[in-house]
Amino acid sequence: MKRFWKDATVAQTERGWRVLLDGRAVKTQAGSVQLVPSEPLATAMAAEWAAQGETVDPDSLPLRDLADYAIEVIAPDRPAAIAHLLRYAETDTLCYRAGPDEPLYPKQISVWEPLLTAAEARWDIHFERVSGVIHRPHSPATMARLERVLASHDDCTLAALTTLSALAASLVIALAALEPGTDAAQLWNAAKLEEDWQAELWGTDPEAAERRARRLASFSAAQRFALLARD
């Protein structure tokens, strides 16, 4: 698509904020009204449009895509979105470790355990830890509490959590990304601890490094989207 506008601005309505291209309101890719809950988020989305060249690069509009997902997917069926997110808690990467006698285990304890214990203290829950890959379910009380935590978030935050959880394979890491001042790269490194361990042992290649960088950029954009939406 060729760039057809000169100025990207924002405007407030009774229901939220919207992006305007030469005064015309941007719609979702499915044609719905596109409104977001905060001026900082709308301003950041307008900046994405303003930064386009003569031809629009769809991959350079991650905030737009997350806003559309919140409107078109999350809002019509929040219970389904929450149920989907809870599956990342059921098989959270941070809960599945190597055996205590394996070299990776101390790294997992030092990096993952603080994230788990912080989440447990924050919500008064308990995560089951497993050595190996055999699934061990968390208690119904823990899952019910996490469901209430997710239900307390708005549609934009749930959209961001969907991306964060999928990339990290961890709801704990996704929720940690919502805390102000949290470093996205540090959380990403925690999520990819096993992958990086394998790379240390066997090496990596430019294609894998490029893929990792792209996924970190998507993770960081989702975190930024959530924090701007709540500003």
Side-chain angles (χ1 to χ4, degrees), residues 30-53:
S32 301
V33 175
Q34 187 193 72
L35 293 171
V36 294
S38 76
E39 182 180 12
L41 177 55
T43 299
M45 291 167 60
E48 286 185 339
W49 288 104
Q52 297 299 309

Side-chain angles (χ1 to χ4, degrees), residues 128-148:
E128 298 290 337
R129 279 79 160 166
V130 179
S131 287
V133 296
I134 297 177
H135 177 62
R136 183 184 301 169
H138 305 308
S139 71
T142 288
M143 297 305 296
R145 177 68 177 119
L146 287 172
E147 183 175 9
R148 293 195 297 273

Side-chain angles (χ1 to χ4, degrees), residues 106-128:
K107 289 181 175 287
Q108 292 172 325
I109 293 299
S110 65
V111 175
W112 289 355
E113 194 61 22
L115 291 168
L116 277 181
T117 55
E120 289 174 328
R122 186 176 298 119
W123 298 306
D124 190 24
I125 56 179
H126 173 72
F127 290 105
E128 298 290 337

Side-chain angles (χ1 to χ4, degrees), residues 49-68:
W49 288 104
Q52 297 299 309
E54 292 184 7
T55 301
V56 176
D57 177 9
D59 292 337
S60 67
L61 297 166
L63 302 181
R64 183 279 306 267
D65 291 345
L66 284 162
D68 287 0

Side-chain angles (χ1 to χ4, degrees), residues 64-76 84 158-159 162:
R64 183 279 306 267
D65 291 345
L66 284 162
D68 287 0
Y69 191 84
I71 293 164
E72 301 291 358
V73 179
I74 302 294
H84 176 74
L158 290 178
T162 300

